[in-house]
Amino acid sequence: MTDAAPLSRDFVWGVSTSAYQIEGAVAEDGRGASIWDTRCRTRGGVWNGDTGDIACDHYHRWAEDVALMRDIGVGAYRFSVAWPRVLPRGRGAVNQPGLDFYDRLIDGVLEAGIEPWLCLYHWDLPQALDDLGGWANRDCAGWYADYAAVVARRFGDRVKRWITFNEFSVFTLFGYAIPWAAPGITDRAAHLKAIHHVNLAHGAGVDVVRDLVPGASIGAVHNRQAVIPEHNDPANAEAAALLDEHWNLVFCDPQFLGHYPPRTADAIEPHVQAGDMARICRPVDWFGLNHYGPIFARVDESRVWRYGWGDAPADSPTYGVGWAVFPDAFRDELLTITRRYRTPIVITENGCGGSDTPDENGAVNDPHRIAYLTLYHAKMREAMAAGADVRGYFLWSLLDNFEWGSGYGNRFGIVHVDFQTLKRTPKASARWYADLIRHNQKF
Ligand code: IFM
């Protein structure tokens, strides 16, 4: 498992999930439609025509899932609230049964001795707001702030860890420029507007939670991955530099440093109003990092920004479903954030996909995931030894779940879910994680 000395007892060991990926019950108790319900019904939107209609049925089986977390020994649970469950049309009338569900969940998590970390937005925008332009409409920042206030008022007495957004660049880039996610628009101006309006929403969300939740600890979750030109080809270098801005900088820089990065600053200017940068650059308590591996970029004339995803070098080690393993890039990312933003870091996601299946005895062995996690943990420790102030680690994910465009074809859970019977089976990696947590709670 590990020979490393235990980390401080304050270090947070958790697991992460998100609402649309696990809850199911999409038409129950007054929930409204989200852009992902629409995406799943769009031909070619999701692999195999899979949908989140049932997912892990966590809406009904949450108590079993909390018991699984308690058995693993996690100290924290990062989950998201589904905006359309709380405000079915995105604004206006509040849906009490939706709030009641999260009440039950939060109380159950607390009773299990686990700290809830609540994420306000993990990609499931209410469809009614997308019909009004979604994130390309500046008003969306205000709708988000009103939604955040509803959630903060209801749960702020029990939830002290708040996250404004999950992975800003994934849902804006793939939602508005490269159509791999909902709502699937391909338009430069819409992408730039979405970036700026989501930044404004983040700043407003920080202020709302700060005002309404005494003692709140607030962060946002950024997916950061080094962007490397494919084949080290100079022709791909400018493509990589622009993708690096859109992927790694256009949210972190305004939120922490108060300005947009150079390639984006002029282009986004027409959408920026006086006072906006101060609205966006609000003090937060930590930097949430989601990291899996670096990105390889190449020129792709068919895409709106003329860059596309390239291939990792052919000899790169891969795991699970073929993603390349670059643990050094994880260490380097932690140190880059430390130098550039001078902030404590919480690793809010890290993990490994695969196509794990039970053996003839019903056991699920996932050595590739354990190997990946072991390597990445060693690199986290190296970064900490070199000065990164890492305060916690959340493994993605508790359960196999709906993996967006890949449907149920890519399993990230440390607990296997049979999507026919919905039976949960902890994998070997769940035992590995339980041991790691126990080892670190030793003194
Ligand atoms: O499943 C996703 C999650 O929703 C956001 N971060 C990456 C995970 C694995 O692709």
Side-chain angles (χ1 to χ4, degrees):
M1 193 248 325
T2 176
D3 297 330
L7 291 173
S8 135
R9 270 203 96 79
D10 297 338
F11 192 89
V12 178
W13 294 99
V15 283
S16 288
T17 65
S18 88
Y20 190 73
Q21 293 181 271
I22 64 168
E23 284 180 4
V26 292
E28 223 164 301
D29 291 341
R31 176 187 178 278
S34 81
I35 54 174
W36 271 94
D37 296 295
T38 307
R39 176 87 180 170
C40 290
R41 276 160 185 73
T42 307
R43 189 185 261 283
V46 173
W47 176 79
N48 197 36
D50 288 348
T51 74
D53 290 1
I54 299 174
C56 306
D57 195 31
H58 173 77
Y59 190 75
H60 300 111
R61 295 167 197 251
W62 62 268
E64 182 183 350
D65 296 335
V66 172
L68 285 164
M69 287 190 274
R70 193 198 47 221
D71 292 348
I72 294 168
V74 301
Y77 176 45
R78 173 184 163 236
F79 67 102
S80 74
V81 169
W83 184 346
R85 217 179 263 298
V86 170
L87 290 156
R89 299 202 50 76
R91 57 195 179 139
V94 173
N95 180 39
Q96 289 304 329
L99 287 171
D100 293 346
F101 165 68
Y102 295 108
D103 255 336
R104 293 192 292 278
L105 174 65
I106 289 165
D107 288 346
V109 166
L110 286 166
E111 275 161 28
I114 298 168
E115 186 178 34
W117 288 51
L118 188 156
C119 177
L120 285 160
Y121 189 85
H122 198 124
W123 308 355
D124 43 359
L125 185 73
Q127 181 59 47
L129 299 186
D130 189 60
D131 295 343
L132 301 173
W135 291 111
N137 182 340
R138 188 175 166 106
D139 290 342
C140 207
W143 301 329
Y144 169 89
D146 293 344
Y147 153 67
V150 171
V151 179
R153 276 200 190 93
R154 178 69 172 250
F155 305 123
D157 56 339
R158 286 154 290 160
V159 177
K160 297 297 169 191
R161 307 286 196 154
W162 290 78
I163 296 163
T164 55
F165 280 88
N166 179 72
E167 294 187 359
F168 301 86
S169 55
V170 176
F171 74 88
T172 50
L173 180 62
F174 294 161
Y176 292 87
I178 297 180
W180 291 344
I185 290 162
T186 51
D187 180 72
R188 283 187 180 201
H191 180 217
L192 291 169
K193 286 187 214 170
I195 291 169
H196 189 60
H197 301 154
V198 170
N199 269 323
L200 286 169
H202 159 80
V206 172
D207 287 349
V208 163
V209 175
R210 218 37 107 209
D211 281 356
L212 294 175
V213 183
S217 165
I218 309 173
V221 168
H222 300 273
N223 52 291
R224 286 198 41 127
Q225 292 149 280
V227 182
I228 302 167
E230 187 186 54
H231 306 314
N232 266 327
D233 181 341
N236 292 326
E238 182 51 28
L242 186 58
L243 175 53
D244 182 42
E245 284 207 357
H246 291 165
W247 196 257
N248 291 317
L249 301 176
V250 293
F251 296 98
C252 303
D253 278 8
Q255 291 174 23
F256 283 90
L257 308 178
H259 57 74
Y260 280 105
R263 286 176 179 72
T264 305
D266 287 348
I268 212 161
E269 183 62 31
H271 311 299
V272 179
Q273 297 181 9
D276 278 1
M277 298 320 285
R279 291 185 186 102
I280 292 168
C281 184
R282 310 300 297 147
V284 291
D285 300 296
W286 42 272
F287 185 111
L289 172 67
N290 288 3
H291 183 94
Y292 293 85
I295 296 171
F296 292 85
R298 67 160 77 115
V299 173
D300 183 345
E301 300 288 351
S302 71
R303 300 287 182 197
V304 292
W305 290 110
R306 302 184 57 247
Y307 58 63
W309 257 240
D311 294 323
D315 56 355
S316 310
T318 58
Y319 65 81
V321 286
W323 290 13
V325 183
F326 286 91
D328 285 355
F330 184 40
R331 177 202 54 214
D332 296 347
E333 198 58 67
L334 289 164
L335 293 171
T336 302
I337 294 165
T338 300
R339 279 191 299 269
R340 191 172 178 93
Y341 303 117
R342 301 176 183 283
T343 164
I345 302 169
V346 177
I347 296 158
T348 35
E349 278 184 30
N350 173 239
C352 173
S355 51
D356 325 307
T357 44
D359 66 17
E360 59 285 3
N361 303 313
V364 187
N365 289 307
D366 52 349
H368 58 283
R369 181 168 293 106
I370 294 174
Y372 172 95
L373 293 170
T374 304
L375 285 171
Y376 275 65
H377 273 266
K379 294 298 165 182
M380 175 182 85
R381 303 287 294 242
E382 272 184 40
M384 291 169 80
D389 180 7
V390 182
R391 305 274 176 95
Y393 176 94
F394 288 74
L395 203 155
W396 182 271
S397 180
L398 173 67
L399 303 170
D400 291 340
N401 58 47
F402 175 80
E403 177 54 18
W404 307 111
S406 307
Y408 296 98
N410 191 357
R411 294 170 176 271
F412 275 87
I414 54 173
V415 173
H416 179 269
V417 177
D418 178 325
F419 291 108
Q420 303 306 314
T421 64
L422 298 167
K423 180 173 186 273
R424 276 85 163 131
T425 306
K427 303 180 190 177
S429 56
R431 291 188 288 283
W432 176 89
Y433 196 40
D435 286 347
L436 182 74
I437 295 171
R438 252 197 312 277
H439 170 80
N440 279 287
Q441 309 275 304
K442 254 182 195 155
F443 62 98

